[in-house]
Amino acid sequence: MTLNRDTVVNLAILALLVATAIGAHVLGNGFTVTLATKAAIFGLAGVGLNLALGYGGLISFGHAAFFGIGGYVTGILASHAAAGTPVATLPFTVMGSNEMLGIWPMAMLAAGLAALVIGALSLRTWGVYFIMVTLAFAQMLYYFAISWPRYGGEDGLSFYVRNSFPGLNTFAPIQYFAICTTLLAVALVFTAVVTQSRFGLALQAARQNSQRTVALGIRPYAIRLTAFVLSGMIVGLAGSLYADLNRFVSPAMLSWHMSGEIMVFVILGGVGRLCGPVAGAALFILLEHVLGGVSDYWQALLGLLLLAIVLFAPGGLIGILTQRRRHA
Amino acid sequence: MPEPKRHDPILEIRGLRKSFGALAATDDVSLDLRPGEIHALIGPNGAGKSTLIKQIVGEIRPDAGSIRFEGQVIDGLDAAARARLGLARSFQVSSVIADFTALQNVMLAVAGASGAVFRFHRPALADRKLTEPALFHIEQAGLAGRHLVPAAALSHGERRKLEIAMALALRPRAFLLDEPMAGMGLEGGRQLTAILSDLRAEAPILLVEHDMDAVFALADRVSVLVYGRVIATGSVAEIRANPEVRRSYLGEEA
Ligand SMILES: Nc1ncnc2c1ncn2[C@@H]1O[C@H](COP(=O)(O)OP(=O)(O)OP(=O)(O)O)[C@@H](O)[C@H]1O
Ligand SMILES: [Mg+2]
């Protein structure tokens, strides 16, 4: 990899995030470490969405479904592990778990399966219909979670002990930050590799000119569905981490509001830019805590900022920092 | 299925019909494309030339009729499958991946032809199975040295050549070129005429073209389409001499 301007900006963003957390840790400011962790997790969710939205042009307004599924899988497994009861006994016994290494694959698998079903159906539509269909699926899950009393219904599900990771103390904010940031880095490398591969070439081609892509013997549907599933799995992992951060999951993780927020991370940071969603999520959290302290109307200011970015800097933060348009 | 003989048509179109409402855009068209030939398809604006190409490549479905490609009925295949069989198409209005470089555009075509797009690991730009053929076809189409330029930054004429390079990368068994010279200018048109003449060695060409100089210089056979119907098919000399063609299409040009 050559150290071009994009790479420098990407590394600088990650370095800033890590430096913030370490600095706060040294100063004994655990709250700020947790904020940085939240930024890493939201950034991970944004990186996941970016694969579908930015690279694939799939404007999903339903990615909260995968975020929430990842969260609920984590909460359900953890609460059963705490109670010592099996999650299911038929068709085979599934025990709870409080091991992150066991929970993450389950969360990603569940989110990936959901993405396969939702994607297979919604990718038959396009444009505004696609947006509505993905939204509808996520809302279905949201209402299902609300009306399912077994795992807390409307009130959500608390689990009192953060899940564990071998050799680490996940309660120490800086250690949990390290876990989340490492996974974020893995997801970034994964995205970089995949988007530069043959598959990534086809995905980005189908976004720009689907008719041409078909004329070259490539079917966009299968390509897009694959990207949608990978995207859902990454977002599911982010949901799992978020559940563990709060030791709590609730239907809010599945709501359209959450879908919108993940989309905001991507747009703020730069659609289709590798580290865009990380920058976007960090900025979002910064604004939430700086402006949120000044005025309850910070969301209105956020709206203005979004408007300004969309109108004047469609490349987002990364676009401003790298001073150039996106090339595939 | 018997092995197709060498002189059997590559492409056989039989009784094709397509209507848009009351308009018969394709009206009982039968047409052959033989090995090694350039078969020009001419006709006035709105005659149904592009509509015919779109049915051959599978972009739109005919109402009736049948198409055979290398002896195989392809009516049930979608556009991607037909492209993989080697039906290579260029569009009347240049259609390329604008943000991709010329090289990436042609690499995409190589990947499409290979049928192996689900490769997630290796960077495409480091995959010599993609880059080497792509660079070769870029040169073949007269774009040598321009491979790192984004398609959006290529001139109109260069984009037309890029389409040719992409068609070549499909390892075509037949070319379907919809007005490849449109808007090329005199010099560009001459260059492209030479390129198309060479292309014939790769695969036969069904060539939709308004530029009569190019058609008469290149074509082995010409079919004339008017209001969706083929009113004549023959050699260049026959078509120039055909009174009906002169009346309905060539006018004073002949
Ligand atoms: N999708 C469509 N719906 C309705 N009418 C159509 C459609 N596509 C083409 N037509 C009509 O069918 C007729 C044939 O169009 P076509 O584009 O095939 O003509 P053409 O011979 O390629 O013309 P040109 O030389 O201008 O490119 C025209 O009258 C056109 O308006
Ligand atoms: Mg036309």
Side-chain angles (χ1 to χ4, degrees):
Chain A
M1 202 191 293
T2 51
L3 224 56
N4 61 21
R5 189 155 182 166
D6 280 42
T7 312
V8 172
V9 168
N10 286 340
L11 290 174
I13 289 167
L14 294 178
L16 201 64
L17 183 66
V18 172
T20 305
I22 292 179
H25 172 69
V26 169
L27 296 174
N29 183 346
F31 177 69
T32 302
V33 177
T34 298
L35 278 188
T37 310
K38 197 172 160 188
I41 294 170
F42 280 176
L44 178 64
V47 168
L49 177 63
N50 203 21
L51 189 58
L53 176 77
Y55 296 98
L58 309 173
I59 305 172
S60 165
F61 200 16
H63 264 50
F66 315 125
F67 195 70
I69 286 173
Y72 268 95
V73 165
T74 307
I76 290 170
L77 288 173
S79 63
H80 278 282
T85 53
V87 179
T89 47
L90 283 171
F92 43 83
T93 306
V94 179
M95 293 305 292
S97 170
N98 53 16
E99 284 289 338
M100 287 182 186
L101 288 177
I103 290 172
W104 295 339
M106 299 280 269
M108 292 175 77
L109 191 70
L113 282 175
L116 185 65
V117 173
I118 294 176
L121 295 168
S122 54
L123 283 169
R124 297 186 182 280
T125 67
W126 191 242
V128 72
Y129 298 100
F130 181 78
I131 301 176
M132 296 315 290
V133 174
T134 50
L135 171 65
F137 274 111
Q139 287 299 96
M140 268 165 54
L141 287 170
Y142 170 73
Y143 286 112
F144 179 74
I146 279 190
S147 53
W148 196 27
R150 180 156 177 212
Y151 294 112
E154 221 171 331
D155 299 332
L157 174 65
S158 294
F159 48 103
Y160 299 99
V161 183
R162 190 174 283 163
N163 293 304
S164 58
F165 189 93
L168 291 180
N169 170 14
T170 57
F171 290 101
I174 194 70
Q175 298 200 28
Y176 192 55
F177 172 82
I179 291 174
C180 294
T181 310
T182 305
L183 289 176
L184 172 64
V186 170
L188 285 169
V189 170
F190 175 82
T191 305
V193 168
V194 163
T195 53
Q196 286 174 40
S197 71
R198 270 187 201 207
F199 171 81
L201 201 67
L203 178 66
Q204 295 172 77
R207 180 192 79 232
Q208 294 183 56
N209 188 340
S210 156
Q211 186 192 35
R212 176 33 102 183
T213 309
V214 170
L216 297 177
I218 298 167
R219 294 193 182 88
Y221 181 81
I223 301 274
R224 289 178 179 143
L225 183 56
T226 307
F228 197 78
V229 170
L230 293 173
S231 165
M233 290 173 79
I234 296 173
V235 174
L237 178 62
S240 172
L241 296 176
Y242 192 61
D244 249 329
L245 179 70
N246 303 320
R247 280 158 290 149
F248 174 64
V249 289
S250 76
M253 280 180 81
L254 290 158
S255 76
W256 64 268
H257 200 251
M258 189 71 229
S259 294
E261 268 183 22
I262 303 176
M263 207 183 269
V264 166
F265 308 149
V266 177
I267 295 171
L268 271 184
V271 176
R273 309 291 186 127
L274 186 61
C275 277
V278 184
L283 181 65
F284 182 91
I285 285 166
L286 197 69
L287 290 177
E288 187 179 29
H289 282 270
V290 174
L291 296 178
V294 180
S295 154
D296 286 342
Y297 296 108
W298 80 275
Q299 298 257 13
L301 290 168
L302 177 71
L304 279 179
L305 180 67
L306 263 183
L307 208 60
I309 293 236
V310 170
L311 290 178
F312 304 115
L317 273 183
I318 304 272
I320 294 169
L321 292 171
T322 56
Q323 287 296 321
R324 72 182 186 90
R325 282 193 62 238
R326 171 169 68 158
H327 284 298
Chain B
M1 194 194 305
E3 188 69 7
K5 298 194 197 74
R6 292 197 71 180
H7 54 270
D8 280 351
I10 300 274
L11 193 63
E12 297 174 69
I13 298 161
R14 290 293 172 267
L16 217 60
R17 290 180 188 276
K18 178 76 193 178
S19 298
F20 298 112
L23 176 84
T26 307
D27 191 358
D28 195 18
V29 169
S30 296
L31 203 83
D32 285 340
L33 184 64
R34 297 177 189 153
E37 77 169 344
I38 294 185
H39 188 153
L41 185 62
I42 62 174
N45 289 117
K49 304 180 295 292
S50 297
T51 303
L52 181 61
I53 298 274
K54 285 176 192 166
Q55 289 168 87
I56 299 172
V57 298
E59 189 179 303
I60 57 181
R61 300 256 155 209
D63 299 332
S66 182
I67 302 171
R68 274 172 181 271
F69 182 52
E70 301 204 288
Q72 179 193 353
V73 176
I74 58 170
D75 299 332
L77 300 181
D78 70 2
R82 295 184 197 195
R84 271 192 229 166
L85 284 181
L87 267 174
R89 170 207 196 171
S90 79
F91 291 79
Q92 181 166 354
V93 177
S94 285
S95 177
V96 296
I97 315 294
D99 281 0
F100 281 15
T101 61
L103 178 63
Q104 286 172 314
N105 269 280
V106 185
M107 281 165 56
L108 183 73
V110 177
S114 76
V117 227
F118 285 90
R119 301 281 171 83
F120 299 88
H121 179 63
R122 192 195 314 196
L125 283 169
D127 186 346
R128 288 169 58 185
K129 280 194 189 124
L130 293 185
T131 53
E132 277 176 6
L135 284 169
F136 175 76
H137 296 307
I138 283 173
E139 195 173 325
Q140 220 179 347
L143 277 177
R146 301 289 284 161
H147 56 282
L148 292 181
V149 181
L154 292 174
S155 73
H156 174 78
E158 286 175 327
R159 273 206 288 278
R160 306 250 68 158
K161 291 178 183 171
L162 178 55
E163 288 221 28
I164 302 283
M166 292 162 92
L168 279 164
L170 277 179
R171 282 187 267 120
R173 307 289 302 151
F175 291 104
L176 308 165
L177 307 182
D178 197 349
E179 301 195 28
M181 314 213 179
M184 285 282 280
L186 250 178
E187 180 49 32
R190 241 179 250 133
Q191 272 182 29
L192 206 57
T193 304
I195 291 171
L196 294 188
S197 180
D198 292 344
L199 230 53
R200 180 173 11 197
E202 307 271 340
I205 305 174
L206 184 64
L207 176 67
V208 173
E209 192 46 70
H210 277 297
D211 178 344
M212 285 305 133
D213 291 336
V215 167
F216 292 148
L218 286 167
D220 301 294
R221 288 194 300 153
V222 180
S223 287
V224 185
L225 200 66
V226 177
Y227 292 123
R229 299 187 75 92
V230 177
I231 60 164
T233 295
S235 69
V236 169
E238 283 163 0
I239 291 299
R240 292 180 106 150
N242 183 314
E244 196 184 349
V245 174
R246 298 176 71 129
R247 200 169 46 244
S248 64
Y249 182 51
L250 293 178
E252 64 288 337
E253 250 185 273

